[in-house]
Amino acid sequence: MDIREIARRAKVSTATVSRAINRLPTVDPQLSRRVWKVVDELGYFPNTQARALVSGRSRIFGLIVSEITNPFFPEIVQTFENLAVENNYEILLTSTVHDPKRMESSVRRMIERRVDGVAILTFGMEESLLEHLRFRKVPLVFVDVGPDAPRIANIRIDYQHGIRQAVQHLAALRHTRIAFIAGPANLKSALARRSAFQQAMTEIGLPPDLIMEGDHTLEGGMRALTELVNSRRKRPTAVLCSNDMTAIGVIRQAYDSDIKIPTDLSVVGFDDIRLAQFTTPPLTTVQMSQSELARLAFRALINEAEQVAPAHRGSEYALVTNLVLRRSTALASG
Amino acid sequence: MDIREIARRAKVSTATVSRAINRLPTVDPQLSRRVWKVVDELGYFPNTQARALVSGRSRIFGLIVSEITNPFFPEIVQTFENLAVENNYEILLTSTVHDPKRMESSVRRMIERRVDGVAILTFGMEESLLEHLRFRKVPLVFVDVGPDAPRIANIRIDYQHGIRQAVQHLAALRHTRIAFIAGPANLKSALARRSAFQQAMTEIGLPPDLIMEGDHTLEGGMRALTELVNSRRKRPTAVLCSNDMTAIGVIRQAYDSDIKIPTDLSVVGFDDIRLAQFTTPPLTTVQMSQSELARLAFRALINEAEQVAPAHRGSEYALVTNLVLRRSTALASG
DNA sequence: ATGAAAGCGCTAACAG
DNA sequence: CTGTTAGCGCTTTCAT
């Protein structure tokens, strides 16, 4: 069943069918009705491949993430999909699973399907992979790490804003010994969080000297708390974590070590993944809105894809972070 | 840049380029090398839309889920994507978000992109939506609820197996008052879990009379435990939940009510979502392997899509459930 | 083994 | 306002 079949049955040309289906205003309402009647009767759906072939636009946006199972991403994917539906796009979702081969295949798949734009929301992308995409002038959007170039948008995250709130919140609860459990040192966003912490502490005259190394995993959080507890130094009364998984590890380890949260130890996370609401106690954390991030990314892509004359420079979007209070923090004990 | 460009530069016909790229054995190695050289030099990637148009196969599988943010799904999506990459397919992911309009648009999008098969992994699908898909003879795979018809595969889940293990595990820990928090009554899979519980209890001579209504949400679990606690009846020492989110709600409410888990109350979940490992204490639960489910679904689709002569009946796949022990269960107190 | 050419389903330029 | 037709990039007969 194709457009010709419809044309035959509606006794019009294929051009008219095409126009009617695309709701071009220049078609006689009479004919249009005839076309739509046949379309509905036959249950006809236009073939997007054929459309894409002739129009040169696939109406597909690529979305590259690290791993779908990383709790940071489902919300992003969902929001992205919602927007795609609203705007009549499809989304081609690929994950790199931290594997260079998979990154390469992601890019290849994007190009083969002729996507109209790609949002790269992985943590740390190999520059080299962008070559093909940039060469083909595919609109791109990055978080934090993109180059400043035409057709490349960047979402800049204000880590400082939320982290300052977190530190000041803890200070207001009379905490003075506040530890920070950092993320992987090769991760730009983790480094940014770390220095935001240092600055926020310094601002209020607290020494930012209690910094533990973590790796953004549950296990890393558990290890870091264990170290903190076993250290000869005086134990901190509060700990700020570079991401929520780390904080969840801290909570888990605290439970095992009979440290009560928040009475014995206040814990603050970062990201505000869905899971943060489900811990016991629910986690106070710095929110970096995943849905807002997805919205910005989508908007960047659609702006770029649907404008006729591409801008000469890339555009910038900003995302602020904010503390959300739950129940893992309390007045410093003692 | 297209196949003609390659042909011109390699001084062969487009037919030869096509054959070389598709690695047909009938092409002279000499020419093939020439073609590939040009392909690599230019960074050429075949246009999948054009391929799909002529071949009639899109190499896209649809995957319909309820909500991507439901913790049950990310693992499924990830596994599905891994398999897609391995087999050179793309996945068209849509979610119904429990909205009839979105279900409809999911189906429309699948058909417009001419997917080669669809896995319907939602909880409860409107029969009516299948019409279009079945009419177009698209291979389909369901969980539990699919009709027995050609090109339609079904994955049957053995709820009984894991639930019996859970009940017997609790009984072995000397629990005799075991409650069950059920799921929504309109959900076939929830009903199956409930009756599996009843049967497993009856088998060992325990009365399956402590059944609370839940709704598969955290809040539902919290409410159910509150009721259980406030009831005049003797409190159960163990509770089996229809899904993990419910169990997590129970854990949360127990924490708020100063009931220690597992010492005062043993809790068992169902599904084994990733999150179950991250609760405090980690949740003992009946595993219904999401990755295995995804694997079965993908295999069903690819079998159906790549066989020349469609079988006359739908095929059936089985998935068993199994208890996984963590730390939310213990000997009955008292 | 290779090439010429038809055609997949659609849109858009052009003519009327 | 409507129809005719070329052509999007590729695969696949059918000749050679």
Side-chain angles (χ1 to χ4, degrees), chain B residues 292-307:
Chain B
E292 186 57 22
L293 184 58
R295 260 189 290 276
L296 290 175
F298 193 89
R299 192 197 307 164
L301 251 28
I302 211 168
N303 277 352
E304 206 60 57
E306 301 197 342
Q307 80 188 188

Side-chain angles (χ1 to χ4, degrees), chain B residues 3-16:
Chain B
I3 208 175
R4 273 182 307 243
E5 175 84 14
I6 309 292
R8 202 172 311 126
R9 301 209 188 202
K11 301 195 192 313
V12 294
S13 71
T14 60
T16 301

Side-chain angles (χ1 to χ4, degrees), chain A residues 43 48 81 112 136 252 277, chain B residues 43 48 95 112 136 252 277:
Chain A
T48 353
E81 202 241 337
E112 287 184 351
R136 275 149 215 277
R252 161 83 69 90
Q277 304 168 38
Chain B
T48 350
S95 59
E112 286 184 351
R136 274 147 216 278
R252 162 82 68 89
Q277 303 167 40

Side-chain angles (χ1 to χ4, degrees), chain A residues 69-126:
Chain A
T69 50
N70 180 323
F72 186 76
F73 290 112
E75 183 84 32
I76 290 184
V77 175
Q78 182 67 66
T79 305
F80 215 83
E81 202 241 337
N82 293 345
L83 293 165
V85 174
E86 277 174 37
N87 294 276
N88 269 297
Y89 275 79
E90 259 4 293
I91 133 178
L92 173 50
L93 175 67
T94 72
S95 59
T96 64
V97 292
H98 313 287
D99 173 358
K101 288 237 180 308
R102 280 292 280 277
M103 296 187 193
E104 212 165 330
S105 93
S106 282
V107 172
R108 186 178 44 66
R109 291 158 71 195
M110 300 284 157
I111 295 177
E112 287 184 351
R113 298 279 168 184
R114 300 296 191 266
V115 296
D116 293 340
V118 181
I120 295 146
L121 304 185
T122 63
F123 305 129
M125 167 90 176
E126 304 300 310

Side-chain angles (χ1 to χ4, degrees), chain A residues 123-124 143-146 154 156 159 184-195:
Chain A
F123 305 129
V143 175
D144 283 339
V145 299
N154 260 287
R156 306 287 178 197
Y159 298 101
N186 58 358
L187 233 187
K188 208 166 162 177
S189 64
L191 254 24
R193 291 163 197 204
R194 179 196 199 120
S195 53

